[in-house]
Amino acid sequence: MPKSKFNRYSLKHNLLKKVSVSIDFDGLTNVDEFINALKRNELADKFAAYRKVLPPNASRMGTENRAYNYDGVFINNSYQEIKHLFFNYTGQDTKDNVELVLNSSNISILIDCVDYKNIDIYLDLIHSLIKRLLDIDAFVKIRNIGIRKIGAFEHTKVAEVFKVFLPEMFTMSEHIPLNITEKVKCLRTSYDDTLVFLEQYPVLVNLKRLVRHLQDPTTKEHKLQAILDIDGHIEEKALSQNMPNTSADDVMNALKLTNEVLFETFKMAVTQQYLEQHGCI
């Protein structure tokens, strides 16, 4: 069955470790008013805990808005200002660890995938937050939207890893015969591509692949791990051209489009065997 027949609802196996959804915006006059409105309404039954997070070094201005390193640690240096962190997610019956981070120019949902089913409930939450944001301040302008997903699979046998991921996507042929000994603690090989999907909005995709050898410090057992990191976003110019009068529904549609592009990219990187084994049509 061709890969095109599989959609994100038909796949019943999850490789994802981390997911983030991020919205950048300008023009919010009073972030405290926005936060207080969310506490009383949209977030009242979604999170059990909240705290303000002060920047680690207020004298240094960060330039990176959001990033994951390859060990799955989320790094958010958004403008080095006070962040409003909501955690202990209670919105759905899920084991996923979900956090919401807001400041005067960014909304981000960060998901550690434990029992991840799909992104829909988190996009619905973003939709409600954007609606509240636009209702509170008519001068808000959406500057960038993005979704990032990091998946991984590891096994002691190389062949098992590449029953999941396509070897040619990870350019592993020269490393497969490598004889790993105890003197080799970790071997990392990474590849980056930038793609553009010309849909209703041009969706830019940063596609990263990493292969590394892991060794258990106790048992000395070696595993090969393949990591797929897909970051898709729509930039300000494309958003302005396609939704001059921004609405929450416009943002939601753009996020759904980005998510579908990420799934199509994911299918490019996995094997036909994996899709047929874990998908149902």
Side-chain angles (χ1 to χ4, degrees):
M1 184 176 295
K3 287 185 175 182
S4 60
K5 295 295 184 181
F6 294 91
N7 61 46
R8 60 192 185 90
Y9 296 109
S10 65
L11 196 60
K12 302 305 179 184
H13 180 260
N14 177 46
L15 293 172
L16 289 174
K17 306 298 183 183
K18 302 279 183 179
V19 175
S20 68
V21 183
S22 183
I23 310 289
D24 295 330
F25 55 89
D26 286 339
L28 180 61
T29 302
N30 190 332
V31 66
D32 289 329
E33 179 187 7
F34 178 46
I35 297 298
N36 288 333
L38 293 178
K39 286 181 177 179
R40 293 190 302 267
N41 298 281
E42 288 79 8
L43 301 182
D45 61 348
K46 296 293 191 298
F47 293 91
Y50 161 84
R51 68 168 177 261
K52 285 185 179 180
V53 181
L54 298 176
N57 187 345
S59 66
R60 296 180 62 187
M61 295 300 292
T63 57
E64 287 293 327
N65 185 39
R66 66 188 192 281
Y68 279 112
N69 70 18
Y70 276 125
D71 293 315
V73 178
F74 185 82
I75 305 166
N76 188 342
N77 299 318
S78 182
Y79 309 115
Q80 293 294 303
E81 65 174 276
I82 292 174
K83 299 164 192 169
H84 302 265
L85 173 64
F86 293 84
F87 55 104
N88 292 349
Y89 183 69
T90 58
Q92 295 283 340
D93 183 17
T94 178
K95 296 178 182 178
D96 292 341
N97 180 23
V98 183
E99 294 182 345
L100 174 67
V101 183
L102 305 100
N103 61 32
S104 64
S105 56
N106 178 267
I107 298 171
S108 292
I109 293 179
L110 319 175
I111 307 155
D112 286 330
C113 303
V114 179
D115 186 31
Y116 184 86
K117 299 296 189 299
N118 60 61
I119 201 172
D120 292 358
I121 59 172
Y122 306 115
L123 294 188
D124 288 341
L125 177 57
I126 284 283
H127 180 263
S128 67
L129 302 184
I130 295 299
K131 187 176 187 306
R132 175 67 60 179
L133 175 66
L134 297 174
D135 287 345
I136 279 182
D137 198 325
F139 286 89
V140 166
K141 184 73 172 177
I142 305 298
R143 299 300 185 191
N144 187 77
I145 71 166
I147 300 175
R148 189 170 188 178
K149 298 183 177 183
I150 298 178
F153 183 75
E154 61 274 342
H155 202 280
T156 54
K157 297 180 179 179
V158 172
E160 294 300 316
V161 174
F162 293 106
K163 287 180 181 178
V164 174
F165 290 114
L166 283 172
E168 52 266 35
M169 284 291 290
F170 290 79
T171 319
M172 273 296 298
S173 57
E174 66 269 33
H175 299 303
I176 288 175
L178 190 63
N179 182 26
I180 301 299
T181 70
E182 290 188 4
K183 293 182 179 179
V184 181
K185 300 299 182 184
C186 180
L187 177 68
R188 299 165 63 103
T189 308
S190 61
Y191 309 93
D192 297 351
D193 290 293
T194 301
L195 314 173
V196 59
F197 288 74
L198 300 175
E199 305 287 345
Q200 176 187 353
Y201 306 90
V203 181
L204 292 173
V205 174
N206 297 317
L207 175 62
K208 299 180 181 179
R209 288 90 71 207
L210 173 75
V211 178
R212 63 182 180 180
H213 286 272
L214 306 175
Q215 183 185 44
D216 187 295
T218 303
T219 65
K220 305 300 182 182
E221 180 183 61
H222 285 279
K223 286 186 177 182
L224 185 75
Q225 183 184 55
I227 299 172
L228 182 67
D229 180 351
I230 313 173
D231 187 354
H233 63 280
I234 302 175
E235 296 181 330
E236 179 181 356
K237 183 178 179 181
L239 292 172
S240 299
Q241 290 175 346
N242 288 275
M243 51 180 185
N245 300 312
T246 306
S247 71
D249 288 344
D250 289 333
V251 174
M252 185 69 161
N253 290 335
L255 283 170
K256 287 181 177 179
L257 174 62
T258 303
N259 191 53
E260 291 299 332
V261 165
L262 263 60
F263 185 70
E264 292 303 312
T265 308
F266 165 79
K267 287 194 294 184
M268 290 166 45
V270 296
T271 64
Q272 183 78 24
Q273 177 184 351
Y274 172 79
L275 290 174
E276 291 180 352
Q277 182 177 354
H278 298 288
C280 61
I281 302 298

